[in-house]
Amino acid sequence: MENTFIPFHRPSVGQPEIDGVVAALKAGWLNSGPRAAQFEEEFRSYVRAPFSLAVNSGTAAMHLALAALGVGPGDEVITTSLTFCATVNCIAHIGAKPVLADVRPDCNIDPDSIAEKLSERTRALVPVHFAGLPCDMDAIWRIARKNNLFVIEDAAHAVGSRYHGSPIGAVGAAQSHASDAVAFSFYATKNLTNGEGGMLTAASQELADKARVLSLNGVSRDAWNRYSECGSWYYETAECGFKYNLSDIQTALGIAQLRQQEDFLTTRTAYANFYNEQFSGIEEVEIPSDSANCRHAWHLYVLKLNLGRLTVTRAQFIDALREKGIGASVHFIPIPKHPFFAPYADDQRNHCPRTVEMYPRLVSLPLYPAMSTAEVERVADGVKSVVERHRSTAMAMAV
Ligand SMILES: *Cc1c(COP(=O)(O)O)cnc(C)c1O
């Protein structure tokens, strides 16, 4: 046991997933069919969204939302500097200009930074619920309302998260959840997975319909039916769309996962609480933020190193964990640090000093329901023993 490596992530794929995929293969409907429709319905109900669209990635969901809302060239979209490149790529792909806001200590986008970065061209805000902890949406919606902006949430980490009792994804369901659309990812490492997949929830039928047409190369159902005298072969491509629909094979996996989400979340929460208990008294590390008004989906457990109290860098810390058979990772390399962002990086507004300052401190620990409690204990012990060994003596003596 001591020698087996604990990877950063292992998916929870059991008999229900295997049975689901086999049944989909036997049913013979391999592209988007009855299972995709069922998944949309079950997910819509789970997050209490008015409309939903299953797609083949979280990136696709985000791209469709921006495109369907008509965001494009000449527009600016404000998002966080601490996210995966996909969030920013989508903004660039539709021809808009990404503008980066800085983060708060909880790693989520700072509404005050958003307010500083607004311009006459700002058209939309894209907050990311980092690690599964909801952003300060009330403040974000207030800015959006005042400036007539769209809000599209990147909920790649936030299946099962709740903001003031309302599930992330429940767009437009109440005045209090005023986003236009929410994009979920079901990538292999996410809380719910199809292998690859995503979901868009939308506040209006119009937006959902538009996104659906765009997800199918711009071919609309109306166009199929318009000239029914031609028989079933006729269709019209109304718009220049994309190919973003989700197959029934992948969907079968997602349906089985969705039905276990609450159990998965219970396990994640218990493990996160255990880590918090183990690390909260240790001065060399800072435990992740949580919020009393929200439900954290615990997609990630991100520890912040207090580097002044340690004799190692974050890279050395991760190497030391690896030597103990523990896989750790980093979320995220800040957007301004990536070469792809270079064309935008010299815009003074994209400077995000707090993100850049925080980045060398971030370490993501393994956290997933397929871990055993013994493995969770081994990770906690591993972290504590690395801290013990690399505690800065100057600090230790001062304490
Ligand atoms: C994973 C992720 C995405 C992209 O999701 P895919 O399904 O891989 O396209 C977008 N944003 C964030 C914050 C993510 O972590």
Side-chain angles (χ1 to χ4, degrees), residues 305 311-323 386 390:
L305 305 181
T311 58
V312 283
T313 63
R314 180 255 315 272
Q316 290 165 331
F317 194 94
I318 288 176
D319 285 347
L321 286 176
R322 176 161 289 273
E323 276 165 29
V386 171
H390 301 287

Side-chain angles (χ1 to χ4, degrees), residues 43 47 49-53 58 60-71 124-129 137 140-141 144 149-156 167-173 177-184 199-211:
F43 191 86
V47 303
F51 306 99
S52 60
L53 173 66
M62 178 60 65
H63 191 186
L64 283 174
L66 288 163
L69 287 165
V71 180
L125 307 178
V126 178
V128 177
H129 305 298
M137 294 309 298
I140 291 166
W141 289 322
L149 309 174
F150 297 124
V151 179
I152 304 133
E153 297 168 48
D154 181 334
I168 294 297
V171 277
H177 206 128
S179 296
D180 296 279
V182 182
F184 292 90
M199 186 75 74
L200 182 68
T201 66
S204 74
Q205 178 84 65
E206 189 195 352
L207 180 60
D209 288 350
K210 185 102 195 276

Side-chain angles (χ1 to χ4, degrees), residues 7 24 40 42 51 76 97 104 151 153 170 184 193 210 214 232 262 287 315 328 336 354 357 370:
E40 283 174 355
E42 289 192 22
F51 306 99
E76 291 179 356
K97 185 173 155 194
R104 284 180 173 176
V151 179
E153 297 168 48
F184 292 90
T193 188
K210 185 102 195 276
L214 287 173
S232 59
E262 287 299 304
I287 62 170
R354 273 169 286 148
E357 196 258 346

Side-chain angles (χ1 to χ4, degrees), residues 28-88:
W29 196 319
L30 303 185
N31 66 336
S32 305
R35 280 178 174 77
Q38 185 187 343
F39 186 46
E40 283 174 355
E41 184 53 32
E42 289 192 22
F43 191 86
R44 198 184 64 72
S45 157
Y46 179 66
V47 303
R48 297 188 226 140
F51 306 99
S52 60
L53 173 66
V55 291
N56 57 18
S57 74
T59 308
M62 178 60 65
H63 191 186
L64 283 174
L66 288 163
L69 287 165
V71 180
D75 296 333
E76 291 179 356
V77 178
I78 302 179
T79 189
T80 172
S81 43
L82 194 63
T83 185
F84 184 56
C85 60
T87 319
V88 181

